[in-house]
């Protein structure tokens, strides 16, 4: 069980540190390893926030899942405000990946190498990397990450890719091609930012996991949260229903032979990105604003006890 971790509460809030250390075995830096944070100027890196998370995780014998090396968001001004040639962009991405992965070599044991490269319609997303380098940027990124740390497990990560649909089919084809070409890829991350209004197709999720297993790939649920703003009336109905979403996804993961982890995208509801990003209140996580466990927490514990 992992949790996305923010630097500020990690440094400032005892209760936050306590819940992380007691309840989770893996941490993913929620923002601290994003390009603009790590690499604010062309020849300047800032590892301080990421290092605070890595040190805390190591101190508590937790794993660290690095996130993300290549993404179309959170890019620094110096990068987006210049017209680069293809060769320059390749060199920037190569240096970024080699520097970052080598810096945490032996500490960060797995990475989201490429994040959100496919659109809902199954096409490759237009981005600075796709438009400037071409689709080979994906393969290059995995090869550089592997070069910098041959022991690290390397993932392709995306959202709305957990069940069977055009997007997950395209990802299945992409990672299959990478595997067949000998590109060092170890797994696929399912973000799973979902909500009570979504009907979970658990059989399709299992089938999707299994077809990736047949390619020799691991799956991890990398960013789970369950929005409650639609789907039930009272708060207690919302939270009870939310619990069934968490526990059925955990169950699906535990049953699959290749699903090796479930990370929630935050610790307590007041840290969640959802209210900021979607501009409405919500309570998508396992702990409430007082760090009290919610029904979803107990449902997860119960599922592990049944194992
Ligand atoms: C989000 C963070 O949670 C926010 O704090 C930040 O402002 C924006 O990014 N998919 C991803 C994550 O891969 O990195 C995003 O995290 C959520 C969606």
């Amino acid at each position: 069980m992992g949790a996305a971790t923010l630097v500020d509460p990690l440094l400032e809030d005892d209760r936050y540190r306590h819940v992380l250390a007691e309840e989770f075995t893996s941490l993913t830096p929620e923002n601290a390893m994003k390009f603009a944070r790590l690499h604010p100027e062309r020849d300047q890196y800032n590892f301080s926030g990421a290092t605070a998370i890595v040190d805390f995780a190591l101190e508590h014998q937790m794993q660290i899942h690095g996130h993300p090396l290549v993404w179309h968001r959170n890019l620094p001004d110096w990068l987006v405000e210049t017209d680069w040639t293809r060769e320059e962009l390749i060199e920037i991405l190569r240096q970024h990946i080699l520097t970052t992965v080598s810096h945490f070599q032996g500490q960060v044991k797995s990475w989201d190498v490429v994040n959100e490269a496919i659109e809902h319609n199954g096409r490759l997303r237009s981005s600075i990397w796709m438009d400037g380098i071409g689709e080979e940027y994906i393969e290059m990124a995995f090869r550089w990450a592997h070069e910098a740390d041959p022991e690290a497990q390397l993932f392709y990560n995306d959202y709305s890719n957990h069940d069977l649909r055009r997007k997950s089919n395209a990802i299945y084809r992409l990672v299959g091609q990478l595997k067949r070409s000998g590109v060092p890829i170890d797994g696929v991350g399912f973000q799973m930012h979902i909500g009570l209004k979504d009907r979970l197709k658990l059989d399709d999720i299992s089938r999707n996991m299994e077809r990736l297993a047949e390619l020799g790939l691991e799956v991890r649920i990398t960013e789970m949260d369950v929005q409650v703003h639609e789907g039930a009336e009272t708060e207690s109905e919302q939270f009870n229903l939310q619990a069934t979403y968490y526990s059925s996804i955990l169950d699906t993961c535990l049953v699959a032979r290749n699903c090796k982890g479930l990370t929630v995208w935050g610790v307590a509801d007041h840290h969640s990105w959802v209210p900021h990003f979607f501009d409405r209140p919500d309570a998508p996580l396992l702990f409430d604003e007082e760090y009290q466990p919610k029904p979803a927490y107990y449902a997860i514990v119960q599922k592990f006890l049944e194992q």
Side-chain angles (χ1 to χ4, degrees):
M1 284 296 303
T5 307
L6 293 167
V7 177
D8 288 350
L10 184 73
L11 298 177
E12 289 159 12
D13 188 343
D14 276 339
R15 293 187 301 174
Y16 185 83
R17 282 193 291 276
H18 181 77
V19 172
L20 277 184
E22 289 294 310
E23 306 290 352
F24 295 98
T25 50
S26 173
L27 300 183
T28 301
E30 184 164 335
N31 293 311
M33 288 181 174
K34 289 177 179 169
F35 203 121
R37 297 281 182 106
L38 274 190
H39 198 168
E41 299 297 336
R42 178 146 194 201
D43 353 287
Q44 191 191 314
Y45 285 81
N46 178 356
F47 291 111
S48 61
T51 301
I53 295 173
V54 168
D55 288 350
F56 180 87
L58 295 177
E59 224 173 277
H60 294 86
Q61 288 87 46
M62 301 160 101
Q63 293 179 36
I64 305 140
H65 184 74
H67 166 85
L69 294 170
V70 191
W71 197 25
H72 61 285
R73 288 182 189 270
N74 208 267
L75 300 170
D77 291 346
W78 67 264
L79 178 55
V80 293
E81 282 170 5
T82 308
D83 275 329
W84 306 97
T85 65
R86 181 169 186 271
E87 285 60 41
E88 284 169 334
L89 261 187
I90 290 176
E91 190 49 25
I92 288 168
L93 190 58
R94 193 179 81 89
Q95 284 298 338
H96 178 77
I97 293 177
L98 291 179
T99 306
T100 304
V101 176
S102 325
H103 186 88
F104 294 109
Q105 192 253 325
Q107 298 183 312
V108 173
K109 300 271 171 63
S110 58
W111 285 97
D112 289 332
V113 177
V114 175
N115 195 31
E116 303 181 350
I118 306 265
E119 301 264 21
H120 283 295
N121 61 15
R123 299 219 184 90
L124 284 163
R125 179 191 300 280
S126 155
S127 69
I128 188 172
W129 311 117
M130 178 65 192
D131 305 344
I133 299 177
E135 62 181 276
E136 310 87 270
Y137 85 90
I138 296 177
E139 164 170 352
M140 290 172 175
F142 279 95
R143 292 195 193 277
W144 291 322
H146 184 71
E147 184 186 330
D149 186 354
E151 303 291 316
Q153 280 191 292
L154 306 180
F155 285 77
Y156 175 84
N157 191 50
D158 216 323
Y159 60 92
S160 302
N161 63 331
H162 45 279
D163 54 17
L164 299 175
R165 55 174 85 189
R166 203 178 277 184
K167 181 165 177 173
S168 56
N169 293 342
I171 291 171
Y172 170 70
R173 283 195 299 275
L174 169 73
V175 297
Q177 270 160 20
L178 293 174
K179 263 301 226 192
R180 283 188 293 278
S181 328
V183 175
I185 176 168
D186 300 288
V188 175
F190 298 173
Q191 294 184 6
M192 297 215 72
H193 297 292
I194 58 175
L196 299 185
K197 65 177 187 337
D198 299 315
R199 236 188 71 243
L200 290 180
K201 297 182 185 150
L202 296 174
D203 289 343
D204 285 2
I205 299 172
S206 298
R207 267 186 234 125
N208 195 24
M209 289 177 174
E210 178 54 28
R211 70 178 174 175
L212 293 166
E214 284 159 12
L215 292 177
L217 293 169
E218 201 175 276
V219 165
R220 293 193 195 169
I221 293 156
T222 48
E223 307 186 11
M224 188 167 176
D225 45 26
V226 182
Q227 297 177 28
V228 298
H229 80 284
E230 275 177 81
E233 289 297 317
T234 66
E235 186 183 89
S236 81
E237 279 169 10
Q238 289 177 342
F239 286 1
N240 288 332
L241 200 54
Q242 184 182 47
T244 66
Y245 279 60
Y246 273 107
S247 80
S248 58
I249 292 300
L250 176 60
D251 194 46
T252 306
C253 178
L254 288 167
V255 169
R257 60 181 163 132
N258 59 334
C259 183
K260 303 290 183 190
L262 191 164
T263 286
V264 287
W265 206 241
V267 177
D269 284 333
H270 60 291
H271 305 123
S272 170
W273 73 301
V274 166
H276 308 282
F277 193 83
F278 298 97
D279 200 20
R280 55 173 182 246
D282 213 301
L285 296 171
L286 304 181
F287 295 86
D288 71 14
E289 305 186 350
E290 294 303 321
Y291 294 93
Q292 293 307 304
K294 292 162 60 186
Y297 168 86
Y298 293 108
I300 283 183
V301 171
Q302 183 59 35
K303 207 30 95 197
F304 279 116
L305 291 174
E306 286 165 11
Q307 285 301 296

